[in-house]
Amino acid sequence: MAISRRRLLTASIQVASAAAAATAFGGAVTTAAAAQPAAGPPGTASGAGGGAEAGTQPTGLWAEFRATPYTHPQIPYVAQAGFDGGARHFPRRPVRANVLHYGAVPDGSADSAPAINRALREVGEAGGGTVLVPPGTYRIDDVIQLGWSNTTLRGAGSGETTLYATKSLTELIGVYGSRYGGDKSSWSWAGGLVWMCPADRYRTLTDAIRAKDWPFEGWTGNKRDEFEVLAHVTAESAQGGRSVTVDDAQRLRPGDRVLLQYADDPAHGLLDHMAGDVEGAASYYWQDKTKLLSYVPYEWPARITAVHGRQVTFDRPLPLDTRLLWQPRITTCVPPLVNSGVEGLTIQMTPTPQSPHLLDKGYNGLVAQCTWDCWVDDVHAIDVDNGFLMVAAKATTFRRTRVSGRGSHHPYACREGAHDNLFEDFRIDQRTVPAPSGTQLHGINVEGLSSYNVWSRGAMEMGTFDTHRGLPFANVRTDITVSNDGSHGGDASAGPLYGARFTHWNVTVTNGRAGCVKIDDVAPYSATFALSTVRPFGQIDVPDFTGPLHSRLEAYGTPGVAPVNLYEAQRELLL
């Protein structure tokens, strides 16, 4: 078979990156890793429909990753996912306001939203601190908006403090149509009755929705061109490195939070690269994937740690090769919400039936939008249309969260260019009423070019590993037990289900269903490790790319193989 110029370039970049990564980790390269061919070692899946046969000896995925942690072909480097690079402790800021002093009523007899929002605004505008919500049930007839950095909304615990929401986002803000047309409700995947978002960004978003000028929801504002170019990248860099060379670094400073943007080329080489440059990506028909193409340029939020001459260094390894063909540039982004959190409360909806698919009214729990280094801890969502959403979120941790009640459309969603986020110790409870006709259940969702996100230590009594098209790549699900009864979603115009480097690591499937969890025959350059034995039934996920997928299947049928939790093992390696 003829080897394309693109694949030759990719191979040379990977060799250079592997050498740099080995140096960073003391230069230890195992024989297995050094000898690994592009298609994976013997006994691994190397094409659509093929996986390692049951009983094949493990081939050392973890040993290989330790040798090349930033550039392993199937496993992404996610050790820095979450708040403050994966910090175990969140800030405990002094209490600056108690919502009872602002008129909130803890017996549910009156609307407490104005009091809670006034406390958040006053504390936030004064520089931050904690807004305390003592034990009780607080009726909220409006959105609770956390829009100021260094500000914490803290209840007494999810079993002690409840926000009881009486109205949907449709009632409070208005009908939210899709920017892609049709009669779908964007409240099916956006917005929350607790809405973490910079105050100015929240205002422009909701103003546009009220005006029926359906906005983009991401890092550059309601329009895709609401940014300023700070510098153009002038030299190519490899995935896994941390630096780029620019034409002029005078406007860049250590500590700046910026976007590294990659456009696409006419042959869609950027999209091919996100799919791992598998042979089938070059022949995939990208041109009619209009929703996917609207997500480009790919926007990677990054914090600058050093500027030396024209070299700019970031706090995380580069997510992709940086090729000049893609016109890479450093730009401004929406000023994000930084170092803020929501803790210790339940968000419960007034009883309503689940809406038909894609027609949700917006009885949504909590959304983190344009957040960066933020957190949500010990929060329980009950009777929601959608539980916990990340929309253009960066390095945000959701810890000890739970979705319960009558059943939801998206218990968890991660979309619109969300990167480096962490969901850990999460739970989806079995629904308390049968699913109404015409509804759908997904599970833990990722879509829209989102990358390097982690789901860790989860218990899912229903749902699935929902990869919702839009070519997400380099995401990890690890140490999870699931009754796999949901389905993936995604419009066909959003393109492939999976990009490269999806990893499912130590997963127990209690009902034996393979769909969306065993991905070695579906996802390019993926790794499925220590998955319990499953079988295809009710299968709707199929390969998007023809030809070899270069995927890996190891320790199949034996969940519990060490390391049990890939994210935590990577953290230990980092430390």
Side-chain angles (χ1 to χ4, degrees), residues 105-111 137 139:
V105 180
D107 63 3
S109 62
D111 178 18
T137 295
R139 197 183 92 207

Side-chain angles (χ1 to χ4, degrees), residues 165 168 193 348-356 359-365 380-387 403-411 428-436 439-441 462:
S168 70
L193 288 161
Q348 185 168 3
M349 306 297 131
T350 190
T352 59
Q354 186 176 351
S355 296
L359 297 178
D360 295 347
K361 299 295 186 183
Y363 290 102
N364 297 346
H380 187 182
I382 301 176
D383 292 335
V384 289
D385 290 343
N386 301 279
V403 180
S404 303
R406 48 88 158 155
S408 56
H409 181 193
H410 296 97
I428 303 172
D429 290 337
Q430 183 59 253
R431 65 190 313 137
T432 54
V433 297
T439 62
Q440 281 198 23
L441 164 67
M462 63 178 190

Side-chain angles (χ1 to χ4, degrees), residues 173-185:
I173 298 173
V175 172
Y176 189 3
S178 170
R179 65 180 186 255
Y180 300 104
D183 61 356
K184 301 172 184 176
S185 167

Side-chain angles (χ1 to χ4, degrees), residues 432-503:
T432 54
V433 297
S437 176
T439 62
Q440 281 198 23
L441 164 67
H442 297 308
I444 51 174
N445 152 282
V446 62
E447 60 180 281
L449 301 186
S450 297
S451 61
Y452 295 88
N453 301 291
V454 177
W455 290 258
S456 169
R457 291 198 307 268
M460 300 171 59
E461 294 183 354
M462 63 178 190
T464 193
F465 291 4
D466 170 31
T467 304
H468 221 73
R469 300 197 179 276
L471 198 62
F473 66 95
N475 296 285
V476 168
R477 290 134 169 175
T478 183
D479 195 7
I480 298 171
T481 298
V482 55
S483 179
N484 186 20
D485 63 357
S487 62
H488 77 72
D491 193 294
S493 67
L497 283 169
Y498 302 95
R501 300 190 301 286
F502 258 84
T503 299

Side-chain angles (χ1 to χ4, degrees), residues 301-545:
R303 186 166 52 83
I304 296 173
T305 57
V307 179
H308 297 292
R310 294 190 297 116
Q311 186 178 67
V312 180
T313 302
F314 300 112
D315 61 334
R316 285 170 168 80
L318 295 171
L320 297 164
D321 294 347
T322 303
R323 303 179 189 170
L324 298 184
L325 185 64
W326 302 329
Q327 304 171 47
R329 57 192 178 183
I330 298 174
T331 75
T332 59
C333 63
V334 170
L337 183 70
V338 177
N339 293 320
S340 291
V342 175
E343 304 173 347
L345 51 83
T346 288
I347 308 167
Q348 185 168 3
M349 306 297 131
T350 190
T352 59
Q354 186 176 351
S355 296
H357 188 226
L358 300 177
L359 297 178
D360 295 347
K361 299 295 186 183
Y363 290 102
N364 297 346
L366 184 149
V367 64
Q369 185 161 9
C370 297
T371 61
W372 195 329
D373 284 329
C374 290
W375 70 94
V376 175
D377 185 28
D378 184 26
V379 177
H380 187 182
I382 301 176
D383 292 335
V384 289
D385 290 343
N386 301 279
F388 296 96
L389 309 180
M390 286 193 178
V391 182
K394 167 79 173 186
T396 294
T397 294
F398 279 49
R399 183 179 297 161
R400 298 190 298 166
T401 57
R402 182 178 183 181
V403 180
S404 303
R406 48 88 158 155
S408 56
H409 181 193
H410 296 97
Y412 292 84
C414 182
R415 51 177 295 271
E416 199 80 7
H419 310 288
D420 300 297
N421 300 298
L422 172 64
F423 304 79
E424 64 179 355
D425 299 309
F426 65 91
R427 183 178 183 88
I428 303 172
D429 290 337
Q430 183 59 253
R431 65 190 313 137
T432 54
V433 297
S437 176
T439 62
Q440 281 198 23
L441 164 67
H442 297 308
I444 51 174
N445 152 282
V446 62
E447 60 180 281
L449 301 186
S450 297
S451 61
Y452 295 88
N453 301 291
V454 177
W455 290 258
S456 169
R457 291 198 307 268
M460 300 171 59
E461 294 183 354
M462 63 178 190
T464 193
F465 291 4
D466 170 31
T467 304
H468 221 73
R469 300 197 179 276
L471 198 62
F473 66 95
N475 296 285
V476 168
R477 290 134 169 175
T478 183
D479 195 7
I480 298 171
T481 298
V482 55
S483 179
N484 186 20
D485 63 357
S487 62
H488 77 72
D491 193 294
S493 67
L497 283 169
Y498 302 95
R501 300 190 301 286
F502 258 84
T503 299
H504 292 174
W505 190 280
N506 258 306
V507 178
T508 299
V509 181
T510 60
N511 63 345
R513 180 177 180 265
C516 303
V517 178
K518 184 177 182 291
I519 57 173
D520 59 291
D521 57 354
V522 179
Y525 278 104
S526 63
T528 305
F529 177 89
L531 170 69
S532 56
T533 303
V534 292
R535 63 190 186 279
F537 64 89
Q539 213 74 12
I540 64 171
D541 51 327
V542 297
D544 289 290
F545 305 111

